[in-house]
């Protein structure tokens, strides 16, 4: 029989600080498991999990309860037993957010464990090692960052204090902020939006491409470009893949899409603008009418919203807990309004708008309210914009060139998609570029592409971050950018 000292030595070998490689033999016989997969059916299984020490609570000298977090899933680990209680003391001394390995037996608690996602199971810990120790004084805590504004307000009303982590503080410490359940969910939803975008367009015969982000001239016109030196030549970062995706269509691909960064050097201090965002773009040859592009947008986004509601219920619930929002209202066949009809609705509601001008943010939001009340949808298209408010490459309407073959798409009263038929006639394209003050020499290769034979075509672009922001009613696009870039932020 082993002596007390021998048993104490064995216990010490089962816990402590250790490198990943040193643990392989120590943890032999335990199967790796994901916290999210631990259910009652796994009872009595010998498992090994790795995660962050979200919380530790000591009960006496020989028992400690450790909440282990992996992604957004959490499980309670019970550290007990042993002659000296050394493992429990080691657990109690762990700093929050330290990365630890736990090995033990899955068991069923007498009562559901409150405060964890895996409430019907816990782990009886047999081995515990810290593989990366976090500093003891974190700049923000995950618990505080996960608190909703409503929770803070309720605590204040009850005379209690609850820390509120502001947007800038979150972004300054984004690595910790991303660990909250809501943020874990937001970016998993974002991943699904991108996946559905690809899958639906592939099913519609589109080909994925990549276009250059370094340009010799502006792709949109105007001064909102990031200028740089390109081997002694003036250049800028692409505001849009517009010109090159059109050239790809002219190159014979007919239907193309891409996902990539877009850069806008504007004073983007609003809740919906960034200096860098992820663009979801598509371009396609047309047979009869630019409404064919609208048809693709309709099928794409209805499929996307259906997918999110069906397959991301858990993620949407996690977002809802911290950032409450109402589910998006949308129709199975997307509503399309003529621009003049939208103007008429606004004027009848007493809004002063220029019938041939662009809609400002307030007018867009008001029209969104009017459409929602009248048609019971928060997702709709506004078609046939005045030519003067669209880019130089937009095709004028054949029956009235004051208007264009163009459309915007709105979610919750905010624009997310801009699309149109493009000008494929080089002479008309040149004239419209010159009329907008664009140096035609800087886009000569673009215009020349249409001199070699070009099919009628059109397309659209949408910001990935804006889609997620508006679908989830988040109110600020910085919440849906992993590491946002605006005029004041270039780190982390």
């Amino acid at each position: 029989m082993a002596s007390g000292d021998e048993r104490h030595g064995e216990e010490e070998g089962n816990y402590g600080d250790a490198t990943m490689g040193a643990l392989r033999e120590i943890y032999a016989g335990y199967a790796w498991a994901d916290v999210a997969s631990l259910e009652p059916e796994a009872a009595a299984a010998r498992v090994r999990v790795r995660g962050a020490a979200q919380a530790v609570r000591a009960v006496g000298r020989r028992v400690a309860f450790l909440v282990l977090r992996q992604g957004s899933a959490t499980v309670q680990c019970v550290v007990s037993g042993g002659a000296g209680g050394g493992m429990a003391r080691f657990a109690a001394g762990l700093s929050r957010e330290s990365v630890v390995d736990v090995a033990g037996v899955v068991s069923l608690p007498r009562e559901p464990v409150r405060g964890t996602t895996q409430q019907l199971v816990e782990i009886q810990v047999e081995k515990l090692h810290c593989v990366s120790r976090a500093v003891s004084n974190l700049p923000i805590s995950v618990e505080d960052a996960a608190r909703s504004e409503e929770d803070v307000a309720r605590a204040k009303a009850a005379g209690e204090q609850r820390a509120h982590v502001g947007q800038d503080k979150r972004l300054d410490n984004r690595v910790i902020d991303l660990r909250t359940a809501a943020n874990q969910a937001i970016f998993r939803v974002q991943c699904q939006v991108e996946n559905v975008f690809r899958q639906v367009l592939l099913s519609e015969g589109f080909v994925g491409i990549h276009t250059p982000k370094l340009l010799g001239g502006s792709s949109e016109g105007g001064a909102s470009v990031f200028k740089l030196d390109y081997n002694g030549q003036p250049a800028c970062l692409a505001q849009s893949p517009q010109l090159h995706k059109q050239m790809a269509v002219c190159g014979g691909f007919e239907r193309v899409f891409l996902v990539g960064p877009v850069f806008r050097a504007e004073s983007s201090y609003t809740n919906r603008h960034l200096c860098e965002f992820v663009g979801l773009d598509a371009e396609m040859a047309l047979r009869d009418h630019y409404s064919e592009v609208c048809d693709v947008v309709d099928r794409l986004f209805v499929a996307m919203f259906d997918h999110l509601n069906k397959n991301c219920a858990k993620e949407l619930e996690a977002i809802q807990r911290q950032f409450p929002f109402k589910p998006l209202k949308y129709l199975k066949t997307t509503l399309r309004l003529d621009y003049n009809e939208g103007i008429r609705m606004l004027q009848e509601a007493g809004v002063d708008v220029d019938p041939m001008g662009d809609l400002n943010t307030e007018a867009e939001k008001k029209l969104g309210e009017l459409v929602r009340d009248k048609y019971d949808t928060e997702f709709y298209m506004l078609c046939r914009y005045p030519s003067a408010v669209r880019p130089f490459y937009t095709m004028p309407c054949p029956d009235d060139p004051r208007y264009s073959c163009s459309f915007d798409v709105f979610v919750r009263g905010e624009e997310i998609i801009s699309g149109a038929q493009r000008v494929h006639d080089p002479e008309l394209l040149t004239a419209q570029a010159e009329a907008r003050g664009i140096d035609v020499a800087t886009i000569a290769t673009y215009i020349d592409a249409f001199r070699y034979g070009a099919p009628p075509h059109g397309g659209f672009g949408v910001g990935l971050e804006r889609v997620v922001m508006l679908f989830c009613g988040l109110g600020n696009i910085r919440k849906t950018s992993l590491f946002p870039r605006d005029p004041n932020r270039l780190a982390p």
Side-chain angles (χ1 to χ4, degrees), residues 16-18 51-56 66 69 90-101 129-142 175-176 179:
D17 293 303
Q54 178 168 293
V56 184
L66 165 66
R69 188 186 70 251
F90 175 77
L94 289 169
S95 53
R96 288 192 175 192
E97 299 304 305
S98 292
V99 178
V100 298
D101 274 14
H129 291 86
C130 181
V131 297
S132 176
R133 193 173 288 269
V135 297
S136 56
N137 295 316
L138 296 169
I140 61 173
S141 74
V142 174
V175 169
I176 301 177
R179 298 173 185 175

Side-chain angles (χ1 to χ4, degrees), residues 27 59 106-107 114-115 145 211 217 226 268 284 306 371 396 398-399 431 455 467:
Y27 283 74
V59 181
V106 178
S107 66
R114 299 178 61 185
T211 60
F226 287 106
S268 306
M284 57 185 280
D306 285 348
V371 169
D399 61 324
V467 173

Side-chain angles (χ1 to χ4, degrees), residues 120-397:
L120 303 181
V121 296
E122 60 188 9
I123 298 176
Q124 300 297 324
V125 179
E126 296 176 343
K127 299 178 187 294
L128 170 66
H129 291 86
C130 181
V131 297
S132 176
R133 193 173 288 269
V135 297
S136 56
N137 295 316
L138 296 169
I140 61 173
S141 74
V142 174
E143 181 183 8
D144 291 342
R147 192 170 289 121
S148 71
E149 292 184 1
E150 286 76 7
D151 288 341
V152 175
R154 280 195 295 268
K156 184 177 181 180
E160 303 172 358
Q161 278 198 333
R162 292 288 187 275
H164 173 66
V165 185
Q167 185 71 62
D168 286 339
K169 187 75 169 180
R170 290 176 181 278
L171 296 180
D172 289 342
N173 302 280
R174 190 60 157 162
V175 169
I176 301 177
D177 183 45
L178 289 174
R179 298 173 185 175
T180 65
N183 276 327
Q184 288 287 310
I186 286 169
F187 292 101
R188 283 172 167 77
V189 168
Q190 187 178 96
C191 177
Q192 290 301 309
V193 169
E194 181 179 344
N195 284 344
V196 173
F197 178 81
R198 294 179 187 275
Q199 291 165 8
V200 171
L201 292 185
L202 285 170
S203 73
E204 297 253 357
F206 284 73
V207 178
I209 63 169
H210 296 282
T211 60
K213 309 309 172 193
L214 290 169
L215 303 180
S218 168
S219 53
E220 295 281 351
S224 59
V225 295
F226 287 106
K227 298 179 179 179
L228 51 88
D229 177 88
Y230 183 73
N231 297 323
Q233 304 175 59
C236 63
L237 294 176
Q239 300 164 289
S240 164
Q242 182 59 54
L243 313 186
H244 289 91
K245 67 178 180 175
Q246 283 185 258
M247 293 167 73
V249 170
C250 293
F253 289 99
E254 291 207 339
R255 291 186 162 203
V256 299
F257 74 88
L258 67 154
V259 178
V262 177
F263 304 91
R264 301 284 172 88
E266 52 194 348
S267 297
S268 306
Y269 295 100
T270 73
N271 71 320
R272 65 183 213 170
H273 289 95
L274 292 171
C275 289
E276 179 184 352
F277 61 91
V278 178
L280 308 176
D281 277 84
E283 201 74 18
M284 57 185 280
L286 302 176
R287 293 177 176 175
D288 298 308
H289 195 266
Y290 82 93
S291 62
E292 294 161 29
V293 182
C294 299
D295 295 341
V296 170
V297 171
D298 182 1
R299 293 190 293 270
L300 169 62
F301 279 84
V302 170
M304 183 183 295
F305 298 154
D306 285 348
H307 177 88
L308 295 179
N309 286 326
K310 180 180 179 181
N311 299 291
C312 298
K314 185 181 295 185
E315 287 80 6
L316 295 175
E317 182 184 353
I319 298 170
Q320 179 80 254
R321 283 197 300 271
Q322 184 167 1
F323 305 110
F325 68 95
K326 295 180 179 179
L328 179 70
K329 292 183 176 183
Y330 61 99
L331 304 175
K332 291 303 180 181
T333 299
T334 304
L335 173 70
R336 301 181 197 184
L337 286 180
D338 189 90
Y339 190 82
N340 283 335
E341 173 64 11
I343 292 293
R344 186 188 64 77
M345 291 176 66
L346 287 168
Q347 290 175 336
E348 289 179 352
V351 180
D352 183 19
V353 287
D354 179 0
M356 300 304 292
D358 205 357
L359 299 180
N360 59 29
T361 301
E362 291 72 22
E364 289 178 349
K365 289 184 177 180
K366 180 61 178 179
L367 183 57
E369 295 173 4
L370 296 172
V371 169
R372 181 195 61 208
D373 295 343
K374 183 175 181 179
Y375 298 101
D376 197 33
T377 181
E378 296 172 295
F379 179 73
Y380 73 98
M381 300 182 191
L382 195 60
C383 305
R384 201 176 153 99
Y385 271 70
S387 293
V389 302
R390 306 300 285 197
F392 76 94
Y393 46 74
T394 306
M395 180 68 77
C397 288

